[in-house]
Amino acid sequence: MADLRSVLAERDFRRLFSVRLISQAGDGIVTAGVGTYVFFNASSFPSPSAAAAAFTVLYLPYSVIGPFAGVLIDRWSRRQILVFSALLRSAFVVLTAAVMASGDRGVPLYVAVLLVLGVNRFFLASLSAALPHVVAEDKLVMANSVSPTVGGIVGAIGGIAALGLNAATGDTERGAAITLLVAGCCYVAASAVAATMRRDLLGPQFEPGTEPGPLLGEVGAVVADLVGAARYTAQHRGPASALGATGAGKFLFGILTVVSILLYRNYFYPSSAPVAEGHVVLLAAVSAVGYGCAALVVPPATRRLSKRAVIALLLVAAGVVTALLGESFDEIAYLAFGFFLYLTSQGVAICATTVLQEDTDDAFRGRLFAFYDVMFNVSLAAGAIACAAFVPRDGRSPAILGVVAAGYVAAGAGYWAFSRQSASPSDGGSGTSKPSAAAQPSSS
C-alpha cells in the first residue's frame, strides 16, 4: 500500500493505472463468462473435445501473437493502441455475446473469443511498454510491482462478479450474453480513459537514425530470434533441461485441468450447474493460495538445496499428490490436490526461470524467454488436446490419473539425470543461489 501511494502521486500513472484496472476487470468478466458458458451451462454438459478447444483458444493468442506484438507496439502510438484496441475488443465482445445468445458452442464461438483475446495481447503489452513514460525511473520497480498485482486482483473480482451475475440469470445462454456485454462496457470505459492522455505521451520515442526498419524485416527477425533460441537451447544442457521440465509439467497440468473441470460438472454435481460452478470457484481460491505459497516456500528451499534438486523434488511431489489425492475422486481431497498442485507447478516455474536467467548468455536471454513463453503456453494447450480422445465424459479415469502421476515422477527423475552435468557454478553442490532471483514468481 505504501508503494501504491507513492506511484499514485504521479498524475499520468493514475490514468494509465485506471485504464489497466478497468480493462482487467473486463478481462475477468470475459474469462468467467466464457468459462461458465462452455463448462457450467445448466442446459448442457461439457465434453473433453470442448475443453480442448477452449484451452486452444485461451492460449493460442499468447503463443502465436505474443512474440510479434512488440514489433507493432514499438512502431505505433501506444496511446492509440490502448484507445482503439479497447474499442475493438468491445466490438468483438458484442459479437461473442450474440453467438452465446444463439446457443452456439461451435467454431463461431471460439473464433469470436480468439479475436477478443488476440487483441488483448496487444493491449496488455502496450500497458507494460508505456509504464516508463508515466513513472520516474526510481519508482519504476514499485510501479511494476503494484500494477499487475492490483490488476490481477481486480480481474479476479470481475470474474467473481461475472459468476454471480451468471448464476443470478440461471446459468443460461441469455445470462452469459448479458455477462459479456458488461465486459464490453468496461472496455469502452477503458478506451475513454486512455483517450484523456496525449497521443505522444506513451511513446514510442525515436532518437535520430533509430527509426524502425521495414515491418516484414522485423517480423522475419522475430522468427529468426525464436529459431536461434531453439538452437541455443539444443546446444546447452542447463537451459534445455529447465525448459523440458517446465514443458513436461505444463503438459501434465493441462491434462489435470481438463479432468478436474469434467469431474466437477459431470461427475460430482451433474444435476446442478450452479452448485458445480460454486465448488470450482472454491477450488480455484484454494489453488490460488497454493500458487502464492510457492513464493514463500521456494526461496528458503533453494538456500538448502540446489535449484535443480528443488525442481526434481517438486515434480516428483506433484506425481505423489496426483496418485494419493487425484485418484481419490473426492471433492474435499481435490481442494488439497489443487493447493499442492499449484504450489508445485509454480515452484517449478520459479526455479526454472531462475536457472534460465543464470545459465543463459545475456546475448540470448531475451530470445530464450520469448521462446520459453511460447513453449509454456503451447505445452499447456497440448496437454488438454492430447487427453481429449482418452478422457471419459465425466472425467473419472483412474488410468489417466495414474499415467499423469507416473509422468510427473518420470519428468522429475529425467530432469535430475539430464541436468546433473550442467549445474551452473551458482547452483553447485552446495545449493547456493541468488535469493533475489529465486524470489521472482512474477517472471514466470
Side-chain angles (χ1 to χ4, degrees):
M1 293 302 296
D3 289 350
L4 182 59
R5 284 194 297 269
S6 174
V7 293
L8 282 176
E10 305 285 345
R11 176 173 176 268
D12 290 330
F13 172 78
R14 290 198 301 271
R15 289 190 288 183
L16 189 67
F17 190 47
S18 298
V19 172
R20 175 185 285 275
L21 297 187
I22 297 169
S23 174
Q24 290 202 245
D27 295 345
I29 294 171
V30 167
T31 302
V34 173
T36 54
Y37 179 80
V38 174
F39 298 120
F40 298 99
N41 191 280
S43 62
S44 66
F45 293 90
S47 65
S49 59
F55 266 76
T56 302
V57 170
L58 285 172
Y59 290 96
L60 185 62
Y62 293 89
S63 304
V64 177
I65 297 174
F68 300 94
V71 175
L72 298 178
I73 291 169
D74 289 341
R75 287 172 168 269
W76 300 340
S77 165
R78 291 169 190 148
R79 181 263 200 181
Q80 295 297 90
I81 292 176
L82 295 178
V83 170
F84 289 108
S85 63
L87 288 177
L88 189 58
R89 272 192 300 164
S90 67
F92 288 149
V93 163
V94 172
L95 173 63
T96 307
V99 174
M100 287 181 167
S102 71
D104 192 318
R105 288 179 178 78
V107 173
L109 171 66
Y110 292 117
V111 170
V113 175
L114 186 63
L115 292 172
V116 174
L117 296 175
V119 175
N120 191 42
R121 192 69 178 105
F122 284 94
F123 188 91
L124 292 176
S126 297
L127 284 173
S128 298
L131 195 60
H133 292 271
V134 297
V135 175
E137 186 175 352
D138 61 336
K139 296 180 180 179
L140 195 55
V141 173
M142 296 181 187
N144 274 314
S145 298
V146 301
S147 291
T149 302
V150 179
I153 292 172
V154 171
I157 293 173
I160 294 171
L163 292 174
L165 178 59
N166 198 60
T169 56
D171 289 302
T172 62
E173 288 82 0
R174 182 176 61 87
I178 292 172
T179 300
L180 255 68
L181 290 177
V182 174
C185 293
C186 291
Y187 294 145
V188 171
S191 175
V193 175
T196 65
M197 294 181 278
R198 295 195 326 272
R199 179 169 181 161
D200 62 346
L201 175 65
L202 307 179
Q205 297 174 349
F206 303 111
E207 297 293 333
T210 62
E211 289 80 6
L215 178 59
L216 290 179
E218 293 203 11
V219 171
V222 173
V223 175
D225 285 344
L226 291 175
V227 173
R231 289 175 178 168
Y232 180 91
T233 301
Q235 296 167 359
H236 293 78
R237 188 181 292 264
S241 58
L243 286 171
T246 306
K250 281 299 167 185
F251 179 86
L252 298 169
F253 188 87
I255 296 174
L256 291 178
T257 304
V258 171
V259 169
S260 298
I261 291 172
L262 295 174
L263 280 171
Y264 271 82
R265 177 63 182 96
N266 298 343
Y267 181 73
F268 292 152
Y269 307 103
S271 61
S272 177
V275 173
E277 185 179 335
H279 282 272
V280 167
V281 171
L282 177 60
L283 175 64
V286 174
S287 299
V289 175
Y291 181 94
C293 285
L296 304 177
V297 172
V298 169
T302 55
R303 287 192 287 270
R304 293 168 174 80
L305 300 169
S306 66
K307 286 180 284 297
R308 61 188 180 87
V310 172
I311 291 174
L313 288 173
L314 287 172
L315 288 170
V316 171
V320 172
V321 168
T322 301
L324 295 179
L325 299 177
E327 294 271 9
S328 69
F329 299 106
D330 177 80
E331 304 97 306
I332 302 301
Y334 264 59
L335 295 178
F337 184 27
F339 175 90
F340 286 111
L341 191 64
Y342 270 77
L343 189 156
T344 55
S345 177
Q346 177 62 2
V348 169
I350 293 172
C351 291
T353 299
T354 310
V355 168
L356 292 176
Q357 290 169 339
E358 294 173 346
D359 290 1
T360 304
D361 294 339
D362 191 54
F364 283 88
R365 193 170 289 149
R367 282 173 280 179
L368 193 68
F369 273 98
F371 180 72
Y372 171 68
D373 186 51
V374 172
M375 184 276 302
F376 191 93
N377 292 304
V378 168
S379 298
L380 189 61
I385 295 170
C387 74
F390 306 102
V391 177
R393 195 175 185 86
D394 65 0
R396 192 183 190 283
S397 175
I400 289 179
L401 269 293
V403 170
V404 171
Y408 272 119
V409 174
Y415 171 75
W416 174 254
F418 191 71
S419 65
R420 288 187 68 181
Q421 299 176 3
S422 63
S424 66
S426 65
D427 195 33
S430 63
T432 57
S433 63
K434 300 174 184 178
S436 59
Q440 293 180 353
S442 60
S443 64
S444 58

